[in-house]
Amino acid sequence: MKEPAKISDELLLDYIDGNLSHTDRLIIEEACKHSPWKERLKELSLLNSSLLSLHETWSEPDEAFNVGIMKNIYAYDMAPKISRKYIILLSALLFTCIIGCISLPSLPASYINQLPTIQYYINQLNISALQNSLSINIQFVIEGSLFVCALLSLILIDRIILKPFFLKRKTDSMH
Amino acid sequence: MHKQNDSILVNRIIKGEQHLFNILIDRHKKYAFNIALKILDNAEDAEEVAHDSFIKAYKNLHKFNQESKFSTWLYRITFNTSITVKRKQHSKNEEIDDSKHNFQQAEVNLLEKKDQKHYIELALKKLPDVDQTIISLFYLKEFSLEEIADITKMEANNVKVRLHRARKKMATEMKNILKGEALNL
């Protein structure tokens, strides 16, 4: 008889799992002809067979389980996706608006009239009468651009942040 | 075969045939639900976790590295979500959970006193959550130790040690339970 000291629960479990070599299996089989390993192997084998059939009693989730998931998936696919390029565009627009709003009031009132390049061409063309109207137009263009930027920013905030947020909240509450 | 089918389905879903995800749900819902149930010990919570896991899986399907099986990946999501939910529940209301568990246990005890599977379930419930999951996955006979290690984020050797230890503990536990039952008769 091979010495029973070599046998352990771990070895018996490996034997049950079929992870042992032929020689090791023979050693185990020999040792398990006698107590205490005979009883221990029986116990562990019984446990093993019970565990093997354990998942047969596993229950299934509710009938509506698939429907719930698929509903959420369709809602997710319908929701507008936040694109990185829109985020960059929104950031650029907001940045322009903020810089414009901060710097515009701090500019001297005559600044636009003193733009050297424009002044130079106006002088060259000798159409001084147009100076004032031109300066008003430039100011108007700057303010108009800022207004358009702000408008676009608001639209983008609505489309890429608020709409997806509320849609997600609606989906979550459905779930 | 199963793996190939799953990966073909995954590719088709990524390409836009989202209705096919229903097949994946059908195929894996039972196991996902029961993995969560083993950890959470509450059918409602387990169903919610399984539900969330499928949705998370769908949202991240394009990130799924198809070197592993879809089921391994999905069960890992389920396992992690269950552990997170369990931790939240523990920190929220430990006392309520305990009383609920004892009530359920007592109720089951009355109904299935003679059932051997019931004793196995009892012994299994005495194990830590991770060990319960390892035992459940191992006895599905669908996953290798390496795949179980992947799901539970452990080393394969560690999984093997825990599996042996858990079974030894269960054998002792079952002995004690049966002894106790015999004394009650």
Side-chain angles (χ1 to χ4, degrees):
Chain A
M1 190 179 89
K2 302 268 183 227
E3 68 276 39
K6 263 192 172 181
I7 313 294
S8 64
D9 278 348
E10 281 73 18
L11 261 177
L12 290 182
L13 286 166
D14 278 334
Y15 172 78
I16 292 166
D17 293 340
N19 293 336
L20 293 182
S21 65
H22 183 66
T23 329
D24 288 339
R25 286 184 71 83
L26 288 178
I27 294 170
I28 297 284
E29 277 161 16
E30 184 59 40
C32 288
K33 282 178 184 165
H34 314 279
S35 288
W37 298 114
K38 188 181 171 183
E39 289 75 24
R40 190 59 177 160
L41 180 67
K42 208 174 162 188
E43 276 171 21
L44 292 174
S45 301
L46 189 74
L47 174 75
N48 188 62
S49 57
S50 303
L51 284 169
L52 273 170
S53 59
L54 190 67
H55 68 274
E56 286 167 11
T57 57
W58 278 9
S59 48
E60 292 240 11
D62 199 63
E63 287 276 305
F65 186 77
N66 289 36
V67 181
I69 296 171
M70 291 312 287
K71 244 186 207 172
N72 272 274
I73 283 171
Y74 288 129
Y76 171 76
D77 282 338
M78 296 284 279
K81 302 280 177 294
I82 299 174
S83 156
R84 189 179 285 177
K85 70 179 176 197
Y86 283 128
I87 294 281
I88 294 168
L89 183 64
L90 177 66
S91 312
L93 285 171
L94 283 173
F95 181 74
T96 314
C97 283
I98 292 164
I99 295 294
C101 290
I102 292 169
S103 57
L104 200 64
S106 60
L107 290 175
S110 57
Y111 175 77
I112 295 162
N113 293 336
Q114 287 165 7
L115 288 172
T117 323
I118 297 166
Q119 198 69 38
Y120 171 78
Y121 283 112
I122 288 166
N123 289 342
Q124 285 291 307
L125 291 166
N126 200 15
I127 43 171
S128 52
L130 283 174
Q131 275 184 38
N132 286 335
S133 63
L134 188 63
S135 65
I136 289 165
N137 283 345
I138 289 166
Q139 195 168 6
F140 179 76
V141 166
I142 292 170
E143 284 175 356
S145 308
L146 281 176
F147 177 74
V148 170
C149 279
L151 204 66
L152 278 173
S153 304
L154 287 174
I155 293 168
L156 280 174
I157 286 171
D158 175 57
R159 293 287 155 86
I160 68 173
I161 294 172
L162 297 177
K163 229 177 184 176
F165 172 76
F166 285 111
L167 212 78
K168 190 177 177 291
R169 217 169 66 163
K170 199 177 160 189
T171 315
D172 288 347
S173 65
M174 266 166 62
H175 169 217
Chain B
M1 179 76 177
H2 204 225
K3 184 194 168 188
Q4 197 186 10
N5 281 344
D6 276 359
S7 63
I8 290 168
L9 282 175
V10 166
N11 284 330
R12 289 177 65 184
I13 294 163
I14 291 170
K15 280 176 190 162
E17 293 179 79
Q18 80 235 88
H19 62 278
L20 294 176
F21 197 71
N22 208 15
I23 301 171
L24 289 179
I25 301 171
D26 265 336
R27 220 173 257 178
H28 301 290
K29 68 178 175 186
K30 189 177 170 186
Y31 295 153
F33 170 69
N34 280 282
I35 287 170
L37 190 61
K38 289 275 165 288
I39 295 168
L40 297 165
D41 205 18
N42 178 304
E44 260 178 54
D45 291 344
E47 198 170 314
E48 207 172 310
V49 163
H51 184 284
D52 288 349
S53 305
F54 274 107
I55 290 172
K56 271 185 202 169
Y58 179 80
K59 286 181 181 172
N60 294 292
L61 212 54
H62 59 283
K63 292 181 196 164
F64 166 52
N65 167 13
Q66 294 196 25
E67 280 171 17
S68 61
K69 285 198 271 186
F70 172 77
S71 53
T72 311
W73 182 64
L74 174 74
Y75 300 155
R76 188 168 59 218
I77 295 174
T78 311
F79 177 77
N80 289 338
T81 314
S82 306
I83 293 287
T84 312
V85 169
K86 177 111 183 180
R87 271 186 203 143
K88 272 183 199 165
Q89 281 178 349
H90 263 281
S91 61
K92 254 188 188 173
N93 208 340
E94 210 169 340
E95 280 174 25
I96 288 173
D97 266 6
D98 283 350
S99 60
K100 203 172 168 185
H101 174 78
N102 290 337
F103 170 71
Q104 279 177 346
Q105 216 164 315
E107 199 178 39
V108 171
N109 209 17
L110 282 169
L111 291 169
E112 307 173 81
K113 213 168 182 179
K114 301 281 173 194
D115 195 348
Q116 197 196 352
K117 272 173 191 159
H118 168 62
Y119 296 127
I120 287 280
E121 285 281 0
L122 274 184
L124 195 62
K125 270 179 188 164
K126 299 220 169 177
L127 297 176
D129 300 332
V130 179
D131 290 354
Q132 284 187 46
T133 310
I134 290 172
I135 291 263
S136 304
L137 291 171
F138 182 78
Y139 280 98
L140 281 179
K141 293 284 170 195
E142 261 191 46
F143 299 104
S144 64
L145 284 178
E146 285 73 21
E147 284 169 333
I148 296 173
D150 194 16
I151 292 170
T152 53
K153 280 186 184 168
M154 278 182 198
E155 293 291 317
N157 276 341
N158 198 6
V159 169
K160 195 179 173 182
V161 169
R162 288 189 85 133
L163 182 69
H164 279 353
R165 206 190 297 155
R167 283 189 289 184
K168 273 166 67 179
K169 225 188 238 178
M170 276 187 83
T172 317
E173 201 60 55
M174 273 189 74
K175 236 187 195 174
N176 292 339
I177 293 169
L178 291 171
K179 247 185 218 170
E181 287 293 322
L183 285 172
N184 284 337
L185 287 174

